[in-house]
Amino acid sequence: DHSEHAGPMASTSETAGAPDPAATAETVQKLCPVMNYPINKAIFVEYEGKKVYFCCPGCPEQFRADPQAYLAKLPQFTN
């Protein structure tokens, strides 16, 4: 019986994370952190488990050289 109760509890803790998509909707990146141009979703790097999008192929190199310099511009890292 107790194992059955653990299952729903585990899924409710996962659904407790369900408001996150609403939160991430507010933290959607729209501008390249390097150039401040609209992003191209085909150009990105993963940093600390999150995707960081850029406007052109040269920007990820600059981001990788000093990620901390750009994190403040990224809504997915400022919450």
Side-chain angles (χ1 to χ4, degrees), residues 20-21 23-29 33 39 41 43-54 60 63-64 67 70-79:
D20 276 352
T24 53
E26 295 170 25
T27 57
V28 170
Q29 180 190 343
I39 58 166
K41 291 234 172 184
I43 304 169
F44 65 89
V45 298
E46 281 206 23
Y47 182 75
E48 294 183 359
K50 299 178 183 181
K51 288 184 179 179
V52 178
Y53 297 97
F54 302 94
F63 175 82
R64 282 195 193 103
Y70 302 104
L71 293 186
K73 297 181 182 182
L74 294 166
Q76 61 270 51
F77 291 101
T78 55
N79 46 352

